Amino acid sequence: MAKMIFGGVEENVVTREEFPLSKALDVLKDETIAVIGYGVQGPGQAMNLRDNGFNVIVGQRKNSKTWDKAVADGWVPGETLFDIEEACQKGTIIQYLLSDAAQIAVWPTIKQYLTPGKTLYFSHGFAVTYSDRTGIVPPKDIDVILVAPKGSGTSLRRLFLEGRGLNSSYAIYQDATGKAFEKVVALGIGVGSGYLFETTFKKEVYSDLSGERGTLMGAIQGIFAAQYQVLRENGHTPSEAFNETVEELTQSLMPLVAENGMDWMYANCSTTAQRGALDWWRPFKDATLPVFQKLYAEVACGNETQRSIDTNSKDDYREKLEAELKELRESEMWQAGATVRSLRPERNK
């Protein structure tokens, strides 16, 4: 584990150079990794581990769409694909990658297979941090660890196939065996992390819930919608409004920011854009800071968690979710976006 400076602050980081795949394979050579859940994170993590040479099986509910997806991805029923209970029985490391709501529902089943010395792995601190609401309290005689890739399971898999990596946080909640650190780092390398940075279960879930509702998805959609509306109200066409609001940002500018930083972006744009961006970023910060502060407070006190549990556990959740997504999908802005995407050069080769 190396000490690295981020913005003047020293943090613990593990890289592939100091903990190579060969070492990760040696650490876990006697382990059977049971990936429980094949929805969002499950496929990417399971296939990356398999391709990296680890002993992996998948546990999923039979006669479901995700069971069929696992079969299509090469998992063989009775050999590497089992129902959840059998996979938990066979696994020495249980990667608990069901949705937060499903983790609560299935926990009584999972818990009975967490025998002494096993490892329980999460990719989200939700269940353990809010145990008073989820009822998920791991036994004291097992290791409890976390690897949280900073992106979707789709991105994790895509970057792995490109020979790259997606940065992940790691945390240790319980170290019953004295080997939790080596296990968590080995698993982090195995699932395809670019590098691993240290956190806690609580900090992971606080930052994750804030980020999802903030700049990663919630805030960015709100900003997109506001700018698009103003442009349309002032006579700009849907194509112009979408290109200026979304397409230029996602296709041109953000890749450059990712490569070089925002200061480089400011230094390498026109002087007109440069001046305007420098003058206007602070008013946007001042306008949104109270919203982010309120958001973080709602996460920290558990209100966001309870809202998620209550909503996501309802029988009609999927139906209501589809209605909300339909509203987005059929909005003029994202209808314009669909047309813009269809006209990208790579679609027409």
Side-chain angles (χ1 to χ4, degrees):
M1 180 167 56
K3 299 285 186 180
M4 297 194 70
I5 304 298
F6 294 85
V9 178
E10 188 177 77
E11 297 187 37
N12 293 327
V13 170
V14 182
T15 67
R16 295 177 181 181
E17 286 71 27
E18 64 180 297
F19 206 107
L21 179 60
S22 58
K23 182 175 180 180
L25 287 165
D26 185 61
V27 167
L28 301 179
K29 64 181 183 294
D30 297 322
E31 306 281 357
T32 298
I33 304 167
V35 176
I36 307 302
Y38 208 74
V40 178
Q41 281 288 333
Q45 293 201 31
M47 286 191 286
N48 289 359
L49 285 164
R50 180 181 65 187
D51 289 356
N52 271 333
F54 294 88
N55 182 22
V56 191
I57 60 175
V58 170
Q60 183 55 46
R61 184 168 52 86
K62 289 183 177 179
N63 302 317
S64 64
K65 290 181 179 179
T66 43
W67 176 278
D68 294 340
K69 174 175 169 51
V71 171
D73 285 341
W75 303 97
V76 180
E79 295 181 17
T80 54
L81 176 61
F82 305 91
D83 64 30
I84 289 175
E85 289 196 47
E86 189 171 0
C88 286
Q89 186 175 29
K90 292 177 178 295
T92 57
I93 297 174
I94 310 299
Q95 290 196 247
Y96 205 23
L97 301 182
L98 294 167
S99 69
D100 294 323
Q103 284 186 13
I104 296 170
V106 179
W107 177 245
T109 299
I110 299 294
K111 188 176 179 180
Q112 62 184 316
Y113 295 102
L114 296 175
T115 51
K118 282 196 175 186
T119 300
L120 180 61
Y121 166 113
F122 293 90
S123 283
H124 194 18
F126 187 101
V128 170
T129 300
Y130 300 111
S131 60
D132 58 328
R133 299 167 189 264
T134 65
I136 295 178
V137 180
K140 295 295 185 183
D141 50 9
I142 66 169
D143 293 340
V144 183
I145 58 178
L146 173 148
V147 174
K150 296 297 103 180
S152 69
T154 300
S155 297
L156 183 71
R157 181 62 176 167
R158 184 177 296 163
L159 289 172
F160 176 85
L161 292 174
E162 292 174 1
R164 301 160 64 194
L166 191 65
N167 299 332
S168 303
S169 59
Y170 75 91
I172 298 170
Y173 184 76
Q174 282 181 186
D175 185 5
T177 66
K179 300 177 181 177
F181 176 76
E182 283 201 332
K183 288 180 188 176
V184 73
V185 174
L187 287 162
I189 297 299
V191 301
S193 301
Y195 72 84
L196 295 149
F197 60 95
E198 187 177 30
T199 188
T200 66
F201 273 60
K202 180 182 286 187
K203 287 179 179 176
E204 189 283 328
V205 72
Y206 282 16
S207 64
D208 191 67
L209 293 184
S210 296
E212 290 167 348
R213 287 149 180 78
T215 59
L216 301 180
M217 291 193 291
I220 200 69
Q221 165 61 19
I223 291 170
F224 284 164
Q227 179 169 303
Y228 183 89
Q229 179 178 327
V230 168
L231 291 174
R232 290 290 286 125
E233 287 173 348
N234 284 277
H236 298 271
T237 65
S239 177
E240 183 171 52
F242 186 85
N243 272 280
E244 199 62 44
T245 299
V246 180
E247 191 75 352
E248 184 175 353
L249 174 69
T250 59
Q251 299 304 300
S252 175
L253 302 187
M254 280 298 105
L256 293 174
V257 173
E259 290 173 15
N260 305 295
M262 186 62 81
D263 58 321
W264 184 95
M265 189 73 256
Y266 280 15
N268 287 274
C269 63
S270 72
T271 55
T272 302
Q274 189 178 78
R275 184 68 268 143
L278 289 168
D279 288 345
W280 277 92
W281 78 262
R282 286 185 176 84
F284 277 108
K285 178 189 174 184
D286 293 342
T288 58
L289 182 60
V291 181
F292 280 100
Q293 290 171 330
K294 179 181 179 181
L295 166 59
Y296 194 87
E298 288 289 289
V299 169
C301 74
N303 286 348
E304 277 299 304
T305 297
Q306 195 61 53
R307 189 177 297 113
S308 294
I309 292 172
D310 292 344
T311 303
N312 299 350
S313 300
K314 291 180 178 177
D315 292 338
D316 62 351
Y317 170 70
R318 290 292 174 186
E319 180 181 337
K320 289 184 175 179
L321 170 66
E322 178 52 34
E324 291 182 279
L325 295 179
K326 184 173 182 286
E327 180 184 357
L328 277 178
R329 186 167 56 246
E330 296 184 355
S331 68
E332 184 189 271
M333 180 173 73
W334 289 112
Q335 286 290 300
T339 302
V340 169
R341 289 193 297 275
S342 73
L343 294 172
R344 289 178 187 161
E346 65 268 22
R347 292 290 182 91
N348 299 310
K349 288 180 180 178

